[in-house]
Amino acid sequence: MTHSWHDVSPGHRMPLEFCAVIEIPTGCSLKYELDKPTGLLRMDRILYSAVHYPANYGFIPQTLAEDDDPLDVLVLCQEPVYPLCLIEARVVGLMTMVDSGKLDHKIIAVAVNDPEYSSYREAVDLPSHRRNMLRRFFQDYKQLEGKTVEVDEMQPAEEAVPVIEQALQRYSEQRRRGFYQKAPV
């Protein structure tokens, strides 16, 4: 069985364009998490706040972020994308937050094959209301859990490049050391 984190290629045009694995469709209030041993999704929780994901949310395969999870990505697109679907995406920005005391980068991307979003190259070119919704979601989504999240202003695509490259390198180093083994199916 293919493992969504380890066996899916992030693509050949990294770091600006990549294949993303979607975990949560836009408009959803369920929080799915990658089950690291199997590569499947596990329902983690229903969001406590009266909010829903403002973009398709997932990760870039074969990356390891500073929070020991695959690197998060929000992919803007006209339609909700089913969980575990692959989508070709282009980075347009970076949103960095501190969640439970840990640095947590969110790559902001657009679906390459969506005619409504494919022309965007930078987050600043997105409608300001869309940018505000993305940021506000992460400021609010854990509030009723009694947790605070600090969210920085959105940064340009060029700021995301080293974050993606470091996550690819971090994953490669861990894989070489044999830390990632598939669970028996």
Side-chain angles (χ1 to χ4, degrees):
M1 182 153 110
T2 300
H3 194 291
S4 61
W5 186 18
H6 304 309
D7 296 336
V8 175
S9 170
H12 302 291
R13 289 182 242 161
M14 289 292 289
L16 295 176
E17 288 190 10
F18 48 83
C19 177
V21 177
I22 298 302
E23 295 170 292
I24 305 166
T26 188
C28 189
S29 60
L30 292 170
K31 174 65 167 112
Y32 298 110
E33 287 278 340
L34 172 70
D35 182 66
K36 291 177 185 175
T38 65
L40 298 174
L41 295 179
R42 180 176 305 281
M43 206 236 1
D44 182 59
R45 66 185 181 279
I46 296 174
L47 298 180
Y48 284 60
S49 297
V51 296
H52 56 80
Y53 279 82
N56 293 294
Y57 184 88
F59 62 89
I60 301 173
Q62 299 185 24
T63 60
L64 182 63
E66 292 162 290
D67 63 358
D68 293 324
D69 285 331
L71 185 59
D72 296 327
V73 61
L74 289 108
V75 182
L76 295 164
C77 152
Q78 293 180 70
E79 297 291 329
V81 175
Y82 290 108
L84 286 180
C85 279
L86 305 178
I87 185 168
E88 294 299 317
R90 179 177 46 257
V91 64
V92 295
L94 172 70
M95 190 168 52
T96 300
M97 47 193 262
V98 177
D99 186 356
S100 302
K102 291 184 179 177
L103 203 58
D104 191 4
H105 297 293
K106 308 292 183 196
I107 302 300
I108 309 300
V110 295
V112 171
N113 296 317
D114 182 335
E116 185 169 323
Y117 284 95
S118 63
S119 63
Y120 289 105
R121 303 283 179 198
E122 289 291 339
V124 70
D125 297 329
L126 293 167
S128 63
H129 186 70
R130 173 64 52 196
R131 293 191 317 270
N132 291 339
M133 284 176 48
L134 291 170
R135 186 167 185 244
R136 191 76 219 184
F137 170 79
F138 287 103
Q139 290 172 323
D140 293 346
Y141 83 125
K142 288 190 176 180
Q143 203 166 42
L144 292 181
E145 293 178 63
K147 299 177 182 176
T148 57
V149 178
E150 298 171 37
V151 184
D152 291 342
E153 294 290 330
M154 214 171 283
Q155 301 297 310
E158 69 184 19
E159 297 295 321
V161 169
V163 171
I164 295 169
E165 289 173 338
Q166 289 165 11
L168 287 163
Q169 182 65 33
R170 201 175 292 113
Y171 176 88
S172 291
E173 288 170 6
Q174 294 292 343
R175 187 100 191 230
R176 270 195 301 276
R177 294 181 184 153
F179 286 120
Y180 300 123
Q181 303 296 323
K182 288 186 187 180
V185 179

